[in-house]
Amino acid sequence: METLFEQWSGESCIKVSSISANGSNRQYYRLEGETHRCIAAVNGDVRENEAFLYYAKEMKERGIRVPEIYAVNADRTIYLQEDLGDTTLYSFLTQKKKSGEDINDELIALYKRVLNDLVLMQTRCRDLDFAYAYPRSDFDRQSIQWDLNYFKYYFLKLAYIPFDEQLLENDFSRFINYLLEEDCSYFLYRDFQARNIMIAPDRELYYIDFQGGRRGAAQYDVAALLYSAKSEIPDEIRGLLLDYYIDRLSEVVHIDKDAFRSKFYGYVLVRMMQAMGAYGYRGYFEKKDYFVRSIPLAVANLRNVLKKHQFPIDIPELNKVWNAIAQHEDFMPREDKLTVRVFSFSYKKGIPPDKSGNGGGFVFDCRALPNPGRYEQYKMLNGKDKPVIDYLEEKPEVERYIDHVKALVCPAVENYIERGFNHLMVNFGCTGGQHRSVYCAERMAAYIRQNYDCRVVLRHIEQDK
């Protein structure tokens, strides 16, 4: 990397600074010499690099402001590009919001500039050689199916949202058919959102991270921009900006404005599902707090769309899943008071992840307690059924166990309330997640509710299925 810098600049690299890549597996560094500086991208995926390098060249030739590529190493795993500074559209607007000032006029003006550029990209880049596209040349059936599977396996399953797999697959197929009725011959940027838009020192807007570009419907990128979870654009401004974009696009190509608008919300939802899959993978699976904290914001956008738009196709299982997410207590806006989440689970399936992003909490192993599941009369019951409760309450060791749990958990609850924390997780596990763990979770949740001013969320993972 430093050698490539020296070959390009003709001077030694005297400073190397790592730059966060958020959800990317690529690594970025700022390299500085006496008079030269650049951003180095390090990525072992050569095909992805080739897509970016080709698009950067072609987009620049078509008048799109993208970083200039300075140098590429021999094996195409490192490239140096123009340093556009540290200010993204997202960071600029976030800082303005923190100051407490009304930024709506400035937000509208900036987003209108972005939408003007988007129209140019989508239309001027339709003739690119999409053989360079990675991993696929079109946002077609296969590409959409990948996103929906990502949503299913990394969000629905990890968030414990119930669904019928076959019925959901049937609805996915109908939903894809509906989306692909649209004109899919535009340049689709793929990740067109405020974090990928740089405000350079000269105040011009530049566009980065377009290596996922391919052919697709124009609505997708507008949906990605206006419904990005973290941007939190007020809904009335979204509507105004959508109108503005449709008017600008219609000046360049002929479109049916009403039909375009109708399909737009389908692309909003497919983009949301792709984003939720990413949040689930990066947040729940890789334990990255930033992505976990994005989920309630994405769900708030989902609620908003579901309230205002009905699709003219029969997708009952998909609608059921969307509504289950929208109503799920884990994704409701956080309250100031402490929320204690009490779970029962099966050790055969694993300890539930902490979806708050905070980590920590308690995990209690109930497998040393007497097991009613060994007896035929209790096998079809669970820890909420009176015969099982009576069996466990007859055992003095069970009450001692509950007392020990209280002695550990209650001081933590008191401490968290005093310090203004908003989340604590308490898990009870047994072999099948049916009897002992359910009983203990019920007891502890009831005790906390009765004795502390906090919100208690109780879930029995195996029973909820």
Side-chain angles (χ1 to χ4, degrees):
M1 184 169 64
E2 289 91 334
T3 301
L4 188 62
F5 177 88
E6 291 168 8
Q7 291 171 352
W8 160 67
S9 67
E11 59 188 39
S12 296
C13 180
I14 59 177
K15 186 177 180 181
V16 178
S17 308
S18 179
I19 300 173
S20 172
N22 289 321
S24 170
N25 291 322
R26 294 177 296 280
Q27 296 172 296
Y28 291 100
Y29 302 89
R30 175 171 282 117
L31 307 184
E32 299 179 57
E34 283 292 337
T35 61
H36 291 74
R37 59 190 288 163
C38 67
I39 301 297
V42 180
N43 181 19
D45 192 331
V46 174
R47 280 193 60 205
E48 186 177 61
N49 293 341
E50 295 291 5
F52 180 83
L53 295 169
Y54 170 74
Y55 288 147
K57 173 179 175 292
E58 295 294 327
M59 292 168 81
K60 199 169 191 66
E61 288 180 358
R62 287 162 171 77
I64 311 300
R65 288 180 300 280
V66 297
E68 184 178 346
I69 305 301
Y70 294 142
V72 185
N73 72 341
D75 63 6
R76 315 290 280 181
T77 57
I78 302 172
Y79 52 89
L80 307 183
Q81 58 185 313
E82 184 178 0
D83 185 351
L84 298 168
D86 297 313
T87 304
T88 66
L89 177 60
Y90 173 77
S91 66
F92 175 80
L93 292 173
T94 299
Q95 196 58 43
K96 289 277 190 178
K97 288 177 186 176
K98 286 180 180 177
S99 69
E101 59 185 295
D102 183 353
I103 65 164
N104 285 351
D105 289 344
E106 191 163 17
L107 182 151
I108 291 168
L110 280 167
Y111 271 77
K112 283 183 175 180
R113 288 173 61 191
V114 171
L115 292 169
N116 288 337
D117 289 341
L118 177 60
V119 169
L120 295 181
M121 277 185 240
Q122 291 178 322
T123 56
R124 289 183 181 178
C125 297
R126 293 172 94 162
D127 64 342
L128 293 181
D129 182 356
F130 289 100
Y132 284 93
Y134 179 73
R136 199 164 179 84
S137 62
D138 292 85
F139 193 63
D140 55 6
R141 174 172 293 277
Q142 182 66 75
S143 191
I144 299 172
Q145 187 69 56
W146 285 342
D147 283 355
L148 296 179
N149 287 338
Y150 196 40
F151 166 72
K152 179 171 68 173
Y153 292 115
Y154 284 111
F155 186 80
L156 295 183
K157 284 188 177 289
L158 294 182
Y160 305 111
I161 304 296
F163 60 90
D164 182 300
E165 187 133 18
Q166 185 58 65
L167 294 179
L168 188 61
E169 284 294 324
N170 294 345
D171 283 1
F172 280 171
S173 182
R174 295 187 193 99
F175 189 56
I176 293 170
N177 289 341
Y178 171 75
L179 294 174
L180 293 179
E181 291 171 357
E182 193 58 28
D183 179 359
C184 296
S185 65
Y186 294 90
F187 175 73
L188 188 149
Y189 192 105
R190 176 61 168 168
D191 198 15
F192 196 72
Q193 43 106 347
R195 288 181 181 275
N196 289 335
I197 301 168
M198 305 297 299
I199 301 181
D202 62 2
R203 309 297 290 172
E204 285 284 12
L205 301 176
Y206 284 78
Y207 301 89
I208 62 172
D209 280 3
F210 40 77
Q211 58 280 332
R214 62 200 76 177
R215 267 187 304 255
Q219 289 96 328
Y220 186 92
D221 286 334
V222 194
L225 179 70
L226 299 185
Y227 282 86
S228 174
K230 282 283 190 176
S231 295
E232 298 183 85
I233 301 172
D235 201 50
E236 64 275 10
I237 293 180
R238 278 199 193 106
L240 182 154
L241 292 172
L242 178 60
D243 289 343
Y244 179 84
Y245 167 82
I246 291 174
D247 287 342
R248 298 290 78 73
L249 182 64
S250 66
E251 292 172 0
V252 181
V253 295
H254 173 72
I255 60 170
D256 181 328
K257 291 185 178 182
D258 291 336
F260 188 98
R261 189 185 305 278
S262 175
K263 280 292 195 315
F264 170 75
Y265 292 98
Y267 281 96
V268 167
L269 285 168
V270 81
R271 172 64 185 185
M272 282 183 184
M273 289 188 279
Q274 184 276 334
M276 287 179 182
Y279 297 155
Y281 179 74
R282 301 291 184 183
Y284 298 157
F285 185 73
E286 293 188 337
K287 312 293 185 187
K288 294 181 179 178
D289 178 54
Y290 168 82
F291 294 96
V292 174
R293 288 186 280 111
S294 297
I295 292 172
L297 300 174
V299 174
N301 282 342
L302 174 64
R303 286 191 202 102
N304 186 293
V305 172
L306 294 179
K307 283 179 186 176
K308 296 184 175 183
H309 195 80
Q310 297 292 322
F311 292 98
I313 51 173
D314 185 28
I315 44 173
E317 189 69 11
L318 190 49
N319 276 312
K320 177 182 167 185
V321 163
W322 287 334
N323 283 297
I325 295 169
Q327 296 165 18
H328 200 290
E329 58 195 3
D330 282 352
F331 309 137
M332 292 298 177
R334 289 186 178 181
E335 301 176 3
D336 291 336
K337 65 167 57 178
L338 173 67
T339 295
V340 181
R341 286 183 166 80
V342 183
F343 281 23
S344 70
F345 69 94
S346 163
Y347 272 103
K348 292 179 179 179
K349 307 292 179 62
I351 299 170
D354 178 6
K355 295 171 187 169
S356 73
N358 295 319
F362 297 92
V363 179
F364 295 103
D365 190 341
C366 304
R367 289 175 294 184
L369 298 176
N371 185 7
R374 293 179 177 176
Y375 302 98
E376 195 65 37
Q377 65 266 38
Y378 303 124
K379 283 185 176 178
M380 302 306 293
L381 304 177
N382 64 59
K384 294 187 287 183
D385 293 316
K386 191 173 186 306
V388 174
I389 294 171
D390 291 344
Y391 170 88
L392 291 169
E393 290 186 346
E394 289 171 359
K395 311 294 182 183
E397 58 265 47
V398 174
E399 197 60 36
R400 286 197 298 271
Y401 181 88
I402 295 292
D403 286 342
H404 290 315
V405 169
K406 289 177 184 175
L408 289 170
V409 172
C410 293
V413 172
E414 293 162 6
N415 181 272
Y416 277 31
I417 290 172
E418 182 180 345
R419 296 167 69 188
F421 290 177
N422 60 18
H423 183 270
L424 176 65
M425 192 169 186
V426 183
N427 295 299
F428 294 91
C430 64
T431 305
Q434 183 175 343
H435 299 100
R436 295 164 291 180
S437 62
V438 171
Y439 170 81
C440 291
E442 288 280 334
R443 284 284 305 273
M444 198 65 219
Y447 185 84
I448 296 170
R449 282 195 185 105
Q450 291 165 8
N451 290 277
Y452 298 100
D453 180 22
C454 64
R455 177 172 174 252
V456 178
V457 174
L458 175 62
R459 288 196 61 201
H460 302 297
I461 290 174
E462 293 306 310
Q463 307 307 310
D464 289 350
K465 292 178 181 178

